[in-house]
Amino acid sequence: MRDVILLVFSSLEFIFRFFPVFIIIYYIVSEKYRNSVLFLGSLIFYGMSEFVYVGLLLFSAVVNGELNNLHGLIYHSPGMLLLLSVAVNYSTGRWIPGKNGKRRKSVLAIGVLYNMGVLAAFKYTRFLPLPIGISFYTFQAVSYLADIYRGVITPEKKISRFATYLCMFPQLTAGPLVSYEQIRPQLSERRYSLRMLERGLRTFVWGLASKVLLANRLGILWNEIQTIGFKSISTPMAWLGAFTFSMEIYFDFLGYSLMAIGVGRMLGFYLPENFNMPYMAKSVTEFYRRWHMTLGAWFRKYVYIPLGGNRKGIVKTCRNLLVVWALTGIWHGAGWNFILWGSSLGLLIILERLIWLKWLEKSRVVCRLYILFVIPVTWMMFAITDIRELWIYFERMFGTVSAGARINPSDFSDAVRNYWPLLAAGLLFCTSLPGKLYSLIKNRFLEALLLLLVFWLSIYYLYVEGVNPFMYFRF
């Protein structure tokens, strides 16, 4: 079987082939056909160029009685599963209104169980490979049904419009998560201008740079640590690795979000911001108000508040927080490390709420040291899926060395000497200073020259090193 063709924002194929052709067609067609162009373009982006090939494979499987290879067929055309999701959720949404209370609830339950059942089947079993983006479009589908049930929106009558919402390629594979209430007016009518195109290009370039020049480069150091083996690294090196991964995952996901927002802006859509300088937070609570904000908003709106939020006393508030964070961990993966990661964050947030949050918010230094200590430790629970390897890494971080371990005492100094410019750049761009300096540029020619330099430097590294997929594609 051939590999599925799935485009990635940070690839030469997307930047120089797919998107230029797509945007030209998108702009020249009549406005009433642009949703259709966007829908078809999204299917191509998502791998539906393999549709005919997969159809032939399916026909061959039926003739030869080889339906046990269905998982391979789905892998080679994830768009088929996406189209099924469109059909099921459109139909379910149309059935919810007009029923009595029990029937409405039953229809909603069927729709939610379908979505979550499919997600669980692909995400938590080894039989079926995970289609990219399934977690994100599944959550959007559930929010659509829930909002219809709650009376926030009415069901979409045009399946083409709903399909465009669920399949829209800028945010299909890794967010930002967008509710139908947010995007519906823009699906019906949106504005276009050279100014929006310019702003979209600017945002896209900075997202590309975040991914290619920072995340990918920082990932080289983290990969070196993994290659060496956790048993052979020193305590300073273990902490450096944790800091490095913390920056890598941030710039990786920030880069994708910025590129998605930039592409959306060029198409006339206003997608929500997903990050707000999380490493400038004073607490874990604040950190996750700034990190992946659309996912946090989804859990708050559809899980935390329906459970009672903070309205039913401190005990139930703590229970609700634990449930939300346990589900957040499970959403990222079925491994025990993800459950440990989510549950640990939930406990930290509860402890902050009960004991030390007010002290952290008043401090200027202690809160920064607290974040620099806690967040990298929790990210290791996220990064290292093998619990035994995770325990070894924690032993290295906290100075415990097992008998017979061969530690290179100069590994930290060697890494700092080789990577200090990149590490310094990562730390700098975690702050608001670069944005403030950029806003001081008033000369449009100088701004354009800077963007062009950043763009071509990113393209150079893409050409030399090849495509490195976004980390959140795994979730």
Side-chain angles (χ1 to χ4, degrees):
M1 283 190 175
R2 301 181 301 178
D3 288 333
V4 64
I5 298 175
L6 179 69
L7 294 172
V8 178
F9 288 156
S10 57
S11 67
L12 300 178
E13 289 78 10
F14 177 84
I15 295 171
F16 292 109
R17 294 180 183 177
F18 173 82
F19 192 66
V21 173
F22 170 82
I23 198 72
I24 290 171
I25 296 173
Y26 184 81
Y27 278 145
I28 64 175
V29 300
S30 172
E31 187 171 345
K32 67 178 181 179
Y33 296 120
R34 283 178 179 165
N35 280 347
S36 299
V37 171
L38 177 55
F39 173 64
L40 293 174
S42 297
L43 294 183
I44 296 172
F45 176 87
Y46 198 59
M48 285 296 285
S49 56
E50 298 292 291
F51 184 81
V52 174
Y53 173 67
V54 172
L56 293 173
L57 289 178
L58 182 59
F59 176 76
S60 176
V62 171
V63 171
N64 297 300
E66 297 175 351
L67 290 180
N68 59 313
N69 291 326
L70 181 61
H71 63 286
L73 301 181
I74 293 175
Y75 170 74
H76 282 269
S77 186
M80 286 181 142
L81 188 65
L82 178 59
L83 290 180
L84 181 60
S85 180
V86 169
V88 170
N89 286 286
Y90 172 78
S91 302
T92 306
R94 298 278 289 172
W95 290 338
I96 291 176
K99 310 289 184 183
N100 61 37
K102 290 185 178 179
R103 289 189 177 181
R104 290 177 69 247
K105 191 174 290 185
S106 297
V107 174
L108 173 66
I110 291 171
V112 172
L113 286 173
Y114 165 79
N115 284 292
M116 293 305 182
V118 170
L119 178 61
F122 280 92
K123 199 156 192 171
Y124 307 118
T125 66
R126 296 183 179 180
F127 175 70
L128 297 171
L130 182 68
I132 290 176
I134 187 173
S135 298
F136 290 89
Y137 70 71
T138 296
F139 270 30
Q140 293 198 167
V142 169
S143 73
Y144 171 75
L145 299 180
D147 285 349
I148 292 175
Y149 177 80
R150 294 162 57 226
V152 175
I153 59 172
T154 57
E156 177 55 60
K157 294 181 180 179
K158 294 184 177 180
I159 189 172
S160 59
R161 190 175 292 168
F162 176 72
T164 302
Y165 158 69
L166 207 60
C167 302
M168 192 165 60
F169 76 83
Q171 47 83 59
L172 171 64
T173 49
L177 286 168
V178 184
S179 70
Y180 200 62
E181 181 186 13
Q182 291 174 288
I183 210 73
R184 187 178 211 165
Q186 300 174 57
L187 287 169
S188 302
E189 183 179 355
R190 49 192 181 270
R191 297 179 179 179
Y192 309 90
S193 67
L194 287 175
R195 185 64 176 167
M196 288 183 66
L197 178 65
E198 178 188 334
R199 289 178 178 176
L201 283 170
R202 182 193 303 126
T203 304
F204 182 89
V205 168
W206 287 121
L208 180 67
S210 295
K211 167 61 178 171
V212 177
L213 302 182
L214 290 173
N216 288 0
R217 308 297 297 163
L218 288 163
I220 295 173
L221 176 55
W222 174 243
N223 290 337
E224 285 182 5
I225 293 173
Q226 292 178 294
T227 302
I228 292 169
F230 301 152
K231 291 183 178 180
S232 302
I233 60 175
S234 65
T235 293
M237 189 65 170
W239 280 99
L240 181 63
F243 288 130
T244 300
F245 180 82
S246 299
M247 290 189 289
E248 179 194 1
I249 193 171
Y250 170 56
F251 290 116
D252 186 277
F253 201 8
L254 172 67
Y256 179 91
S257 296
L258 288 175
M259 281 188 272
I261 292 168
V263 171
R265 186 66 57 86
M266 286 185 268
L267 303 183
F269 292 94
Y270 287 85
L271 300 180
E273 298 292 331
N274 219 13
F275 292 88
N276 182 23
M277 293 179 291
Y279 289 104
M280 300 303 292
K282 292 184 175 182
S283 64
V284 175
T285 302
E286 185 185 355
F287 183 91
Y288 281 99
R289 287 175 184 161
R290 294 166 170 256
W291 177 280
H292 202 347
M293 294 186 291
T294 57
L295 179 65
W298 192 98
F299 273 107
R300 182 168 56 254
K301 184 177 181 180
Y302 299 106
V303 180
Y304 181 67
I305 292 177
L307 286 174
N310 59 359
R311 303 186 305 273
K312 297 184 177 181
I314 191 62
V315 174
K316 289 189 176 179
T317 298
C318 293
R319 178 206 65 183
N320 297 341
L321 286 169
L322 280 177
V323 169
V324 166
W325 279 101
L327 290 175
T328 302
I330 293 171
W331 179 83
H332 282 89
W336 284 107
N337 66 302
F338 293 115
I339 297 174
L340 178 62
W341 172 75
S343 301
S344 298
L345 290 172
L347 286 172
L348 279 169
I349 289 171
I350 288 171
L351 289 172
E352 287 181 354
R353 179 183 288 261
L354 294 177
I355 303 174
W356 59 71
L357 182 59
K358 60 182 179 180
W359 304 107
L360 289 171
E361 290 177 342
K362 292 178 181 179
S363 69
R364 290 187 177 182
V365 177
V366 174
C367 62
R368 307 300 182 197
L369 296 176
Y370 170 74
I371 288 295
L372 287 175
F373 174 79
V374 170
I375 294 300
V377 171
T378 58
W379 276 134
M380 291 300 93
M381 302 178 198
F382 188 94
I384 305 170
T385 58
D386 188 309
I387 294 296
R388 289 174 296 182
E389 290 295 307
L390 176 61
W391 181 254
I392 292 171
Y393 201 92
F394 281 158
E395 286 182 333
R396 294 299 177 269
M397 289 185 77
F398 296 102
T400 304
V401 180
S402 56
R406 296 183 177 180
I407 305 296
N408 179 7
S410 65
D411 57 1
F412 174 77
S413 59
D414 292 341
V416 170
R417 184 171 59 254
N418 293 331
Y419 290 96
W420 74 264
L422 186 61
L423 294 167
L427 289 172
L428 179 64
F429 280 90
C430 283
T431 72
S432 60
L433 182 59
K436 291 178 179 178
L437 293 176
Y438 181 73
S439 65
L440 296 176
I441 302 176
K442 304 301 181 183
N443 187 300
R444 293 176 65 83
F445 175 77
L446 289 179
E447 182 185 15
L449 190 63
L450 174 61
L451 287 169
L452 190 63
L453 176 63
V454 170
F455 174 76
W456 283 111
L457 187 60
S458 301
I459 295 301
Y460 169 76
Y461 276 106
L462 275 180
Y463 178 78
V464 171
E465 298 177 353
V467 178
N468 186 351
F470 292 93
M471 298 169 75
Y472 258 76
F473 278 8
R474 297 176 294 175
F475 310 113

